[in-house]
Amino acid sequence: MLTVHSIKELQNAKKNHQGTIGFVPTMGALHEGHLSLIRQAREENEIVIVSIFVNPTQFLEGEDLESYPRREKADYKICELAGVDILFMPTIDDIYERDELKIMAPARGGYVLEGTKRPEHFDGMLQVVMKLLNLSSANKAYFGKKDAQQLALITQMVRNYFIPCEIIACEIIRGERGLALSSRNAYLSQEEKERALLISASLKLATQTVLSGEINCNTIKNKMQELLQEKTDIEYIALVNRDFHSIQTVELGNTMILVAVWVGETRLIDNIWI
Ligand code: PAF
């Protein structure tokens, strides 16, 4: 595996390989969720590129940019063992100019749910993903369904800007007891991890409720709220269709149930597609 930092080094490294490129962009602190993306990229492509870049433009004032977990050595080892060909770890100056052209997320999809809670987060996320897709020349890029809105917006950006890259949606990876894996789980104490289990439990409850024949979204939301409010601070529970429009009744095959809660000082999101 070759580790490269500058854009020039990346371009040179790519010249030494031939074949289709699978790309996994990350912000590091890699876990089993990232590993599943890397494994899929490995299976489906001749060359695998992983980037690690904690992107400042997608963090809002007061968010965890400074404290975001950074584990370069462990990340390097994980990528090496997973058979990554090129690990790209650029600096902020490599990626950004001072006064540059911006990308704006669309109103629908970009400024609902996560977008209302974190205005401009998606603008910064799209800006860096656009750059990374161009730099990697990826044929396929891999993203987890946990960040459902991120995934939808990246898919739209690729469509709208005719970027020749296929966006691959990958399943959410969960710990043994159901907690969706996230780099931010590192912030949780043991007691908070127990409380965070309510998130996946609430999504399971929602699924069971639908399977029992109850498809009214308000009823499902109320049940989830009852469970979640015991030990978390709910930011939102939303039932939407795959275009992020709110819905009154669940339509199987076209519904997502999304949750954002605070457990102590940590904000966690999760969802289920039914
Ligand atoms: O999901 C992430 O880790 C980030 O949002 C991404 C896609 C790497 C862009 O910085």
Side-chain angles (χ1 to χ4, degrees), residues 55-250:
N55 173 39
T57 63
Q58 70 188 75
F59 287 80
L60 309 187
E61 200 69 34
E63 286 191 345
D64 56 346
L65 173 61
E66 298 310 324
S67 58
Y68 196 83
R70 286 164 172 85
R71 299 195 192 123
E72 279 187 22
K73 272 198 188 135
D75 289 349
Y76 174 90
K77 206 78 224 142
I78 289 171
C79 288
E80 195 177 41
L81 289 173
V84 171
D85 297 296
I86 303 174
L87 176 59
F88 178 43
M89 300 175 74
T91 64
I92 294 177
D93 290 341
D94 283 314
I95 295 295
Y96 289 111
E97 282 180 25
R98 245 166 219 284
D99 179 25
E100 59 171 66
L101 192 144
K102 300 270 189 312
I103 293 184
M104 259 184 79
R108 185 170 61 77
Y111 284 85
V112 293
L113 302 169
E114 286 299 287
T116 9
K117 299 296 170 189
R118 306 180 69 197
E120 294 178 27
H121 158 72
F122 286 128
D123 301 350
M125 179 282 293
L126 289 172
Q127 186 182 16
V128 84
V129 171
M130 164 83 104
K131 286 166 183 272
L132 293 170
L133 291 181
N134 286 335
L135 287 170
S136 63
S137 319
N139 299 91
K140 292 183 181 179
Y142 297 78
F143 296 87
K145 285 184 174 177
K146 188 170 88 63
D147 295 299
Q149 246 178 302
Q150 166 170 289
L151 173 63
L153 288 166
I154 292 169
T155 306
Q156 183 178 353
M157 178 176 74
V158 162
R159 190 173 66 239
N160 290 171
Y161 286 90
F162 308 107
I163 302 173
C165 176
E166 190 184 343
I167 300 303
I168 310 290
C170 303
E171 292 308 322
I172 297 177
I173 304 296
R174 300 179 179 280
E176 260 174 41
R177 298 170 68 201
L179 181 63
L181 297 190
S182 159
S183 303
R184 290 191 167 99
N185 291 353
Y187 301 148
L188 300 171
S189 67
Q190 202 45 47
E191 184 265 334
E192 287 171 336
K193 275 192 188 140
E194 290 295 318
R195 284 159 57 195
L197 292 176
L198 281 185
I199 305 168
S200 52
S202 75
L203 292 169
K204 203 166 165 192
L205 174 67
T207 314
Q208 281 161 352
T209 307
V210 173
L211 290 178
S212 75
E214 178 58 80
I215 56 165
N216 182 290
C217 291
N218 275 336
T219 312
I220 297 165
K221 207 168 151 172
N222 288 340
K223 278 180 176 247
M224 292 175 72
Q225 189 169 335
E226 238 172 74
L227 182 63
L228 279 167
Q229 71 192 9
E230 276 179 37
K231 290 181 182 162
T232 72
D233 292 318
I234 302 170
E235 213 169 68
Y236 63 75
I237 301 170
L239 285 91
V240 295
N241 66 19
R242 299 280 158 88
D243 291 323
F244 288 92
H245 288 141
S246 338
I247 47 172
Q248 302 307 313
T249 51
V250 169

Side-chain angles (χ1 to χ4, degrees), residues 7-20:
I7 289 167
K8 204 172 170 126
E9 280 177 317
L10 174 66
Q11 308 303 16
N12 284 336
K14 280 192 302 180
K15 280 189 205 141
N16 296 330
H17 294 277
Q18 261 178 3
T20 58

